[in-house]
């Protein structure tokens, strides 16, 4: 049989870009043509029979259940009776790149067909369809998506007759037709995708208020994590996935931050479980942002790409304990009738081989890596550096908005300027890492991924943990957390089944919370250490809000690190020195450090 070739969308143009731009969802929903075509294209994909290869159900199912071959990839000789998932692997960022491009390609095809049916101003709609790309949700800037994504059941679009028409909102949910027999409970009870479901029963509804509150409470944690990922992580193992990295990083991986979003959006619904997450339409907004961060990080770290590693346990097409690297086939994404895309072929800060680009790269000479790196560094500081600027003595930043982020970046800078700055001793230009007075405090969390049995969070507090678990995420004492995105039926997924002892790693950055709670004029270890020994607490919570007693998570280890930071002349970002482990702060407590010093 012939295979479906993944090309990404073909055609269209964004001025001064190598390929049409993917837009941020808040900008995207304001574009009448793009949003109208996108809504109608998703509606067509939703309406296809679930067994059809390019139906929304089949594309969503590549990620997890029902664990069957897609476009015959590996069907003749499956390596393992399982899915294609590459979580906890060096292939995590690159496997999802052709995956989102496939979704975008199919959406783009139907948008073009819909544009041809417009009876009013048809050329305008045909051009919009050609330029249309999958939007991304920049949760690092704003954890709350627009109402068109999380709360509106109906949206108003312009239909082919030129009329403004109210239609069902496909970004709100996907309705199964039928519920797939492979789904375990509670998913087998739900006729549609849910976010923060009110129960496990068939009468469950979304709890939009709970979803909104959770996402808002996570803003500072997610922004800080993203900034540190982009500015401090420089090796592929530490960047790519949530297994303990290369030992030198005190910042999260891309996958760990990605896991955080899945759990916070899902709250017990499909997005919080890799087996079924791909069926929630917000999944592709989220993974488009993950891919954008891959592009930004690649621009800041030219030449760093997928390293050689072990597959540990296999997937549907990758045998267990085999070597994986940038030439490994990214199944099931065919690029010819006989070969698959690889990480090597998927590389690029502006992957026009898949027919898209991001606004931050518009107008740049992509061959000039130094200029690209300098520009993206300015953009990252503008978009995500404002929380760091609350406590770190940056010099005045040059205004450097990304092409389509002008209004956003201005507000970021103004917000930062209006907020009180911690009175730390400024880092003089001649400062070295040995003389800096600035210490960055971080809690490192190690825990076995499958110990709790489903997705869960390790949540950190400065001060008392509220008695009512429903108040944990909204408590003023809540600092942030590390989130495990865990398959609820790991026995069905090869890459999950063999990872029972897999330890995942995450970091929670503490300086902003220390400044708000303790009001110190320094982050010196002699001052902060005793404070954290007294005030730092943690708890474990399942994604559905159930508290897990710490004695039931014996693998958990929370260790506090302090890292000296300085800003040498000419450097766009703070440069970390060697982290110091403060085992004494948490040692002797359940889930604390196993070492005394």
């Amino acid at each position: 049989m012939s295979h479906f070739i993944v090309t990404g969308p073909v055609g269209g143009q964004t001025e001064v870009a190598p390929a049409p731009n993917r837009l941020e969802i808040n900008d995207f929903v304001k574009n009448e043509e793009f949003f109208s075509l996108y809504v109608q294209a998703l509606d067509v994909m939703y309406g296809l029979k679930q067994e059809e290869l390019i139906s929304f159900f089949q594309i969503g199912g590549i990620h997890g259940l029902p664990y069957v071959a897609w476009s015959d990839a590996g069907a003749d000789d499956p390596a393992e009776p399982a899915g294609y998932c590459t979580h906890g692997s060096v292939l995590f960022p690159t496997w999802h790149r052709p995956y989102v491009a496939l979704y975008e390609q199919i959406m783009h095809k139907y948008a073009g067909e819909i544009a041809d049916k417009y009876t009013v101003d048809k050329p305008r709609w045909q051009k919009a369809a050609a330029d249309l790309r999958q939007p991304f949700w920049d949760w690092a800037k704003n954890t709350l998506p627009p109402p068109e994504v999380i709360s509106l059941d109906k949206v108003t679009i312009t239909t082919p007759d030129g009329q403004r028409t109210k239609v069902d909102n496909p970004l709100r949910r996907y309705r199964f037709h039928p519920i797939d027999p492979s789904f375990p409970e509670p998913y087998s009870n739900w006729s549609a995708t849910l976010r923060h479901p009110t129960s496990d029963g068939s009468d469950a509804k979304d709890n939009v208020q709970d979803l909104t509150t959770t996402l808002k409470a996570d803003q500072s944690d997610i922004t800080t994590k993203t900034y540190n990922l982009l500015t401090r992580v420089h090796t592929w193992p530490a960047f790519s996935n949530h297994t303990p990295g290369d030992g030198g990083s005190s910042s999260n991986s891309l996958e760990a931050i990605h896991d955080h979003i899945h759990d916070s959006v899902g709250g017990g619904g499909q997005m919080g479980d890799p087996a079924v997450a791909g069926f929630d339409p917000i999944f592709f907004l989220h993974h488009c942002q993950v891919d954008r961060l891959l592009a930004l990080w690649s621009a800041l770290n030219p030449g760093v790409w997928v390293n050689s590693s072990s597959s540990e346990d296999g997937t549907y097409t990758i045998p267990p304990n085999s070597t994986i690297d940038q030439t490994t086939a990214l199944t099931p994404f065919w690029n010819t009738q006989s070969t698959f895309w690889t990480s090597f072929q998927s590389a690029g800060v502006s992957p026009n081989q898949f027919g898209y680009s991001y606004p931050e790269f518009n107008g740049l000479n992509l061959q000039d890596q130094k200029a690209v790196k300098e520009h993206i560094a300015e953009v990252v500081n503008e978009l995500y550096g404002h929380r760091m600027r609350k406590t770190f003595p940056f010099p005045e930043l040059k205004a450097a908005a990304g092409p389509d982020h002008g209004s956003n970046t201005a507000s970021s800078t103004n917000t930062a300027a209006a907020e009180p700055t911690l009175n730390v001793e400024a880092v003089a230009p001649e400062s070295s890492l040995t003389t800096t007075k600035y210490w960055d405090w971080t809690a490192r969390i190690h825990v076995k991924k499958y110990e709790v049995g489903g997705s869960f969070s390790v949540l950190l507090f400065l001060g008392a943990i509220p008695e009512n678990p429903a108040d944990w995420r909204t408590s003023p004492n809540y600092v942030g957390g590390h989130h495990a995105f865990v398959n609820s039926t790991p026995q069905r997924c090869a890459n999950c089944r063999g990872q029972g002892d897999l330890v995942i790693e995450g970091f929670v950055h503490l300086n902003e919370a220390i400044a708000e709670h303790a009001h110190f004029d320094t982050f010196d270890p002699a001052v902060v250490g005793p404070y954290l020994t007294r005030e730092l607490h943690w708890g474990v919570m399942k994604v559905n809000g159930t508290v897990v007693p710490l004695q039931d998570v014996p693998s958990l280890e929370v260790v506090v690190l302090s890292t000296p930071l300085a800003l040498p002349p000419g450097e766009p970002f703070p440069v970390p020195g060697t982290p110091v482990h403060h085992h004494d702060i948490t040692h002797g407590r359940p889930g604390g450090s196993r070492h005394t010093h």
Side-chain angles (χ1 to χ4, degrees), residues 167-289:
V167 298
D168 286 337
N169 178 11
L171 285 172
R172 186 82 165 77
R173 62 180 61 86
Y174 171 72
R175 295 189 186 280
F176 298 100
H177 52 98
I179 298 171
D180 196 82
S182 70
F183 290 180
E185 288 197 332
Y187 313 116
S188 57
N189 299 329
W190 298 335
S191 61
T193 54
L194 292 168
R195 302 164 191 158
H196 290 248
T198 52
S199 79
D200 285 349
S202 57
D203 60 345
K205 294 182 169 54
D206 292 304
N207 186 336
V208 178
Q209 183 58 51
D210 198 42
L211 168 66
T212 301
T213 305
T214 299
L215 290 173
K216 276 185 176 173
D218 281 346
Q219 183 70 74
S220 123
D221 193 25
I222 289 168
T223 303
T224 305
K225 284 175 175 176
T226 304
Y227 183 75
N228 283 298
L229 167 76
L230 292 172
T231 62
R232 288 199 223 166
V233 177
H234 302 293
T235 67
W236 189 264
F239 169 76
S240 63
N241 71 94
H242 58 212
T243 58
D246 48 10
S249 171
S250 59
S251 300
N252 287 282
S253 64
L254 178 63
E255 186 179 19
I257 302 172
H258 145 276
D259 293 351
H260 186 159
I261 302 298
H262 270 285
D263 285 3
S264 293
V265 171
Q270 284 88 347
M271 263 293 276
D273 186 335
V276 288
F279 299 117
D280 187 324
I282 204 172
F283 175 95
F284 291 96
L285 297 174
H286 168 42
H287 268 281
C288 200
Q289 162 73 351

Side-chain angles (χ1 to χ4, degrees), residues 43-193:
D43 191 55
V44 173
M45 291 169 69
Y46 287 13
L48 296 175
K49 288 183 179 176
Q50 290 188 168
E51 58 268 24
E52 285 197 37
L53 188 69
I54 58 172
S55 66
F56 181 86
F57 180 85
Q58 285 290 323
I59 303 305
I62 288 170
H63 194 259
L65 289 170
Y67 300 148
V68 295
W70 188 82
S71 193
D72 243 21
D76 294 338
D77 185 24
E80 295 274 283
Y84 298 102
C85 54
T86 60
H87 292 248
S89 153
V90 294
L91 300 179
F92 164 76
T94 52
W95 183 87
H96 286 83
R97 179 164 271 187
Y99 187 25
V100 177
L102 164 64
Y103 181 81
E104 187 173 41
Q105 175 181 342
I106 295 165
M107 176 275 293
H108 186 261
K109 160 187 151 65
Y110 287 120
E113 293 175 7
I114 291 160
D116 290 341
K117 296 176 183 172
Y118 274 73
T119 55
V120 179
D121 212 356
K122 183 185 288 189
R124 175 167 69 103
W125 289 93
Q126 288 173 323
K127 181 184 184 323
D131 294 345
L132 176 64
R133 294 298 183 265
Q134 168 65 22
F136 63 90
W137 163 33
D138 185 2
W139 30 254
K141 184 176 182 303
N142 186 352
T143 50
L144 208 57
E148 289 85 352
V149 175
I150 58 169
S151 56
L152 297 178
D153 284 328
K154 298 272 188 183
V155 288
T156 301
I157 62 168
T158 303
T159 44
D161 58 5
Q163 298 300 306
R164 296 290 284 164
T165 311
K166 255 192 182 175
V167 298
D168 286 337
N169 178 11
L171 285 172
R172 186 82 165 77
R173 62 180 61 86
Y174 171 72
R175 295 189 186 280
F176 298 100
H177 52 98
I179 298 171
D180 196 82
S182 70
F183 290 180
E185 288 197 332
Y187 313 116
S188 57
N189 299 329
W190 298 335
S191 61
T193 54

Side-chain angles (χ1 to χ4, degrees), residues 280-560:
D280 187 324
I282 204 172
F283 175 95
F284 291 96
L285 297 174
H286 168 42
H287 268 281
C288 200
Q289 162 73 351
V290 170
D291 184 75
R292 172 174 166 270
L293 294 179
L294 169 61
L296 295 177
W297 186 85
S298 297
L300 295 169
N301 297 275
V304 183
W305 201 238
V306 179
N307 63 296
S308 180
S309 181
S310 169
S311 65
E312 303 292 333
D313 299 271
T315 70
Y316 195 79
T317 53
I318 300 174
N321 300 312
S322 55
T323 298
I324 52 174
D325 57 25
Q326 54 185 298
T327 65
T328 302
L330 300 177
T331 52
F333 310 118
W334 301 91
N335 65 348
T336 72
Q337 286 298 331
S338 58
T339 59
F340 297 96
W341 285 97
T342 66
S343 300
F344 177 77
Q345 295 163 331
S346 303
V349 296
S350 191
N352 52 330
Q353 66 269 42
F354 288 116
Y356 70 88
S357 65
Y358 292 107
E360 288 80 9
F361 296 94
N362 289 356
L364 300 181
N365 173 9
L366 298 181
Q367 305 308 309
D368 186 346
Q369 290 185 339
K370 183 172 181 288
V372 171
K373 181 176 179 178
E374 287 175 358
H375 175 76
I376 296 302
E378 291 173 355
V379 169
V380 166
N381 270 332
E382 281 292 332
L383 285 176
Y384 311 128
H386 56 286
R387 306 210 78 93
M388 186 76 185
R389 292 200 290 276
K390 283 184 175 186
T391 60
F392 186 83
F394 274 103
E396 284 300 308
L397 287 172
K398 292 184 291 182
D404 281 338
H405 289 73
S407 58
N408 300 343
T409 53
S411 62
S412 296
T413 309
N414 294 340
T415 305
E419 289 167 332
T421 307
L422 189 72
N423 180 25
V424 294
E425 188 173 324
V427 180
E430 66 275 8
S431 287
S432 70
L433 295 178
T434 55
T435 61
T436 179
K437 297 294 191 294
Y438 186 92
W439 291 85
D440 185 67
W441 290 85
T442 311
R444 188 199 73 196
I445 296 152
H446 281 181
V447 66
K448 286 185 179 178
K449 181 173 178 178
Y450 291 97
E451 194 157 68
V452 170
S455 294
F456 65 95
S457 302
V458 181
L459 304 178
L460 270 61
F461 302 82
L462 287 181
I465 301 177
E467 287 186 19
N468 182 357
D471 298 332
W472 280 19
R473 296 284 276 268
T474 54
S475 163
N477 293 348
Y478 170 60
V479 177
H482 177 53
H483 306 266
F485 180 45
V486 184
N487 197 308
S488 60
T489 53
Q491 67 277 11
R492 291 289 309 279
C493 168
N495 196 34
C496 314
R497 190 170 58 245
Q499 294 184 336
D501 287 328
L502 175 79
V503 172
I504 55 174
E505 176 180 77
F507 299 88
V508 177
H509 302 281
L510 304 175
N511 279 38
E512 188 178 340
I514 292 169
E516 288 175 1
H517 285 76
H519 308 292
F520 297 142
D521 62 356
T522 177
F523 286 121
D524 188 273
V527 176
V528 174
Y531 170 76
L532 291 178
T533 303
R534 198 170 60 247
E535 299 294 341
L536 181 65
H537 302 283
W538 53 87
V540 177
M541 179 180 278
K542 289 185 178 180
V543 74
N544 65 4
T546 307
V547 173
V548 182
L550 290 176
Q551 62 264 28
D552 292 351
V553 196
S555 69
L556 176 64
E557 185 180 31
V558 179
V559 176
V560 174

